[in-house]
Amino acid sequence: MSRIFYRFCIPFLLLLLHLFAQAEPPAACGAPPTVLLSSQPNIFNEQQEQWLGDAMADMVERDNTPVQDAAENEYLDHIAKRLLDVLPPTKIRFRVILVDSPEVNGFSLAGGRVYLTRKLVANARSEDEVASVIAHEMGHILSHQFAIETTADLKRLLNVTSVTDKADIYAKFQHLIDASLKDKHPGQGGDSDDKQNEADLVAVYATAAAGYRPQAYAEFWDRMFFVKGKVGGPLSDFFGVTKPESKRLRAIQKLVAALPPGCGASDSNDNPAFEEWRSLVIANQPGTLTTDIKPISQSVLTPPLRMDLEQLRFSRDGRYILAQDETSIFVLNREPYYPIFRFDAENALPAEFSPDSKHVVFLTRGLHTEEWSIADQKLVTSHEPLSQHDCIQSKLSPDGRTIFCIALREDDPYVYLDLFVLNVADGSVIFQKKGFFEPTFNFLVQLAISAYSPVPTELMYSSLSSDGNFLLIGPSESKLAFDLRNRTLVPVKGDLKHDVTGAYAFIGSDKVLGVASGVPDRSGLFSFPEGRRLQAAPFELADLESVTDGNYVLSHDVKDYAIGLADVSQSQFIAASKAPAMDVWNGVVVNETVDGAVLMRKIVKTENSVTQSATLALSPLGGAVRTALSDDGRLLAISTRTRGGIWDANTGQRLVLTHSFNSAFFAPDDSLYAEFAKFGNTDRAIAKLSFGSGPAQAKAMNYKEEDDTRLTFGMLQQWKHIDRKHTELIVHKVDDNSVLWSRTFEGGEPAHTYNLVPGETILSFPLKTDFARNRMNEISQLGAEAAGLKEKDSGRLIQVLDNSTGKILHELVLLVPQTYTGVGGVNVVGNQLYLSSGDNRTMVYDLGTRTQLRQLFGYVIAVDPTSNRVCTVNRRDEAVVYDAEGHQVASYHTGAPLRFAHFEQSGGRLMLFTADQKIRVVQIEAGATN
């Protein structure tokens, strides 16, 4: 039976059987709650409420990615219909939407949109529990809480007392967002106790009247918020020690107890359809995103651009090799050597083979686990365990049964790290050690940095034994060891416990190589777990990593290389790679080549040694890509973190493979200037690539690039710090490094970005900076504009510079949203300035009047200076085109996350490059709003 039939047809048949099996809702529950008949002021009719919900959805769905899978969403629609059948008639069109999120959450918007996270569904034990959450959100909507609250806020903050069509509602909602950010007396809105109690009343009534077990709501709340049945009472209320979650549970239990006899089911029956559907949700496999693009031309990058492999591992029996990049996991056969299959693994931490080498397991930061069968090439089990504590670092045991979670606990004025060991199947805590480690200042700094790193960072030392049965985790004398088979502590003793204060790694399953920080003579090889010193090994490395098999260890602390392989017996490195992943099994090493192939060879070469290479399948590109397009649209340069290249955009054929570049631009003659990052022992440098009739020619510039110089769209910008209060911007020509112009700024280096319209740099200064104050004193118009701002802290002085001359093209004072930070997302197109803020909105200002014209949802990804059209990205795969007046001209669902866009033919065409490495060009036709 095909996988497609199993995934879509079987769940649908089970759903039909489930529908027919439902009994009629009992009539013993009486009339619906009166809260559904609210008489509070409401300027929205149900159609207008729908439009209000559309605006809310356009704002929030970028960060709450809807799951586009019919088999998963149809089940939710069935539950919603069953609940609606017992509630008062409404014209509101309800939609229950599953979203990808590591949080347990259900929320709703005006107009009938209800959202449930995968994590919530995964931790529900019955359809009754899911129904109760949906019913609660229906209570918010059917009592018109969103419309009533918006009505009150529009009147209070904007003095608006009526709304009309969809465009009017969008505009007023967007202005209300800004007003709410400045509101000094905000209400709690839908999160207030009264509103939640009203929604709980509807939830208990509707679930019971629809034939569900009403007690399920209280049980779900108790479990999800770790209340543990503690509801408090009059005494704890009097002293103010009853937690809000406990009060809420107590109120829900009272609502259930007050139901009439015979109202609701008394127990939850076994429901195969629910378990089948829940399994689909937990599996978390990305559904097929639909696309409505009808391209006039299309090509695919050939060969595709490969992202660096972040993990390479042999299976413990040596039969297979695991390769992992930002979005995919690949499994290769070792003998004969060839790729077997790949599967999606976006946001996955480093994967592992199971101890028996038959499966691959991995964990995400959100504690989603998957186990894949190599023989069957399919997912066999997945889990979504719920932890009461946020894990700053987590690790999955190779057998997929256990998660190690390190959590940060603040106990003013101290900060501690706690260790929790969780059972994957149900999230229960098997072991915990509070105060496991008191973090140092350097640790907290690294923690802050890692939160913004696209690459998973292991902050706490840990190591797995080669047989996958033992885990050593923790720093210095806080180290703990676990037998993963029976999940018990193993005492760590001797010199291993006391002398190893830095990095360590298992060598095999009964020895550990450990570093004595600052005292390399004390570093060595120790027996495990006894901790006897077996051998001196004077390593002083910041990190160590085990290999699958052999007397070797890996380290990223190697000058000019990404990773090195050290022979423990010799205490020295014997091999190194410029790609960051490597592994060894039985004298065979595997690593990645410069062009992205996976190379396998003997460590010690002999006369009969054979080097084998394997090319992996296409992997969806992650978000960290940099792009440049030639003026004629023919050449497309793309770079990931460590690898780049230039492709013919018309055919998709690669012209040249390069190292990664930090930035690049095409000159008018289609030659490419690129700033290449430091690679191994090659320093950061700027090179020129020329494309003629023959192979591409590369030439390094005959000048040394200074550390404070950056290549920025056609020029070299050097930000030179003169003294503590002054910074000089010196702009050089790229081809010969000659100086074009320079300017000096008071108060340090200003925030700066580039304009998507070529040849312009945009600077931004808070009004309180010395430079901005001086400019406002010099130019009366700027001073007047600043004086007219009510919130000076949100004011910015914006300058738009001509890159070739340094001339100020535009200079103005703007009041920016409080959610806007930095200077990214500013673009000038014609006589308008577009500014994208952190809450998925773009503000549009008139450069002449300095007034805000309108707002758009999403951020700007492409502009056309001829037609003044702009293209924004909203949600992961939605491109929307607007004209200069702000009218939506066209919208496209690309079927994969959008990575780059570019207008052609004076805004008449749009090139779209997506994560699936497709280049498609569409003809923009007015009204093409799909």
Side-chain angles (χ1 to χ4, degrees), residues 547-559:
V547 299
T548 298
D549 176 71
N551 197 39
Y552 305 97
V553 70
L554 299 166
S555 178
H556 297 278
D557 189 10
V558 187
K559 184 179 179 181

Side-chain angles (χ1 to χ4, degrees), residues 101-135:
S101 173
E103 298 179 356
V104 174
N105 195 15
F107 63 97
S108 51
L109 305 177
R113 282 183 169 86
V114 175
Y115 298 84
L116 301 183
T117 64
R118 284 191 189 271
K119 197 80 168 182
L120 183 148
V121 171
N123 284 278
R125 293 179 179 174
S126 66
E127 183 178 311
D128 305 66
E129 293 187 347
V130 175
S132 67
V133 178
I134 296 174

